[in-house]
Amino acid sequence: PRSTLFPYTTLFRSQLMLGRPAWQYLASGLQGAEFLMWLSLCLRSRLTADFAREVLRDHALIQASATTDQDFLEFWKQKALWHPHLQGRSDKSINKVRQFVFTQARKAGFLDRHNVPQEVFIPTQVAQIIVAAKSRWGWPMREAFPVPPQQFELLPDDQVGA
């Protein structure tokens, strides 16, 4: 039935956005898969990518006390000014999207259970995959990660692990 398969088909479609290096990394079982899942979500969902870039990233960098429901609502209202398809959505619909985005941010480790920004370290191989990801939104995909930008200042491939 659809209810059983839906999460898996959505996950599979999201992972299709990732390239071969990401698939190989995921298959290796190494730590950092949660960041590749976040990347796949941000490659597929402009709204999630923009929220990560415009709200989560800023909150992490300024060490905000928490990312709130109101932060998401304000973000939504601003986006709706420029994106008519977001206008007129019910509160229930907006809340459902908010819950999904916050849940995924928690799964990636960017927020704790109280939506407080968390410091995370992205493994070098994963950071390389993120930096190499083709942007669909006109800005580097690394900007969808609420971490200090220094985590993406990488060594050349031949020096990694040296």
Side-chain angles (χ1 to χ4, degrees):
R2 180 178 172 6
S3 61
T4 304
L5 294 177
F6 179 71
Y8 299 107
T9 57
T10 301
L11 176 65
F12 182 73
R13 278 194 317 233
S14 292
Q15 288 182 347
L16 287 176
M17 303 296 293
L18 300 174
R20 181 182 209 94
W23 277 94
Q24 290 172 331
Y25 191 88
L26 287 170
S28 73
L30 295 172
Q31 287 186 324
E34 65 276 17
F35 303 120
L36 294 177
M37 299 310 296
W38 181 257
L39 173 63
S40 70
L41 176 61
C42 290
L43 284 168
R44 193 162 173 260
S45 167
R46 174 72 187 254
L47 187 75
T48 302
D50 283 348
F51 183 72
R53 183 178 188 231
E54 297 170 23
V55 179
L56 294 179
R57 191 165 155 246
D58 287 350
H59 283 197
L61 294 175
I62 65 168
Q63 299 178 336
S65 59
T67 301
T68 65
D69 294 355
Q70 188 62 34
D71 293 326
F72 186 84
L73 187 57
E74 289 299 319
F75 166 79
W76 184 282
K77 287 178 182 177
Q78 289 297 314
K79 288 295 170 188
L81 294 173
W82 296 99
H83 302 279
H85 66 280
L86 297 177
Q87 297 171 4
R89 296 287 177 106
S90 68
D91 290 344
K92 184 177 179 180
S93 177
I94 295 168
N95 189 46
K96 192 172 181 179
V97 173
R98 180 196 52 76
Q99 287 177 332
F100 176 77
V101 171
F102 277 50
T103 298
Q104 297 310 309
R106 283 191 291 275
K107 285 181 179 180
F110 300 133
L111 299 174
D112 71 7
R113 65 188 181 108
H114 300 291
N115 298 328
V116 174
Q118 299 297 295
E119 290 184 34
V120 297
F121 178 76
I122 298 176
T124 301
Q125 276 186 283
V126 175
Q128 289 173 327
I129 293 167
I130 293 166
V131 167
K134 292 184 180 174
S135 176
R136 300 183 64 205
W137 314 126
W139 42 267
M141 291 311 299
R142 68 179 175 270
E143 293 181 12
F145 287 78
V147 299
Q150 297 81 357
Q151 288 198 32
F152 294 105
E153 295 172 2
L154 307 172
L155 296 170
D157 286 339
D158 61 336
Q159 293 183 16
V160 173

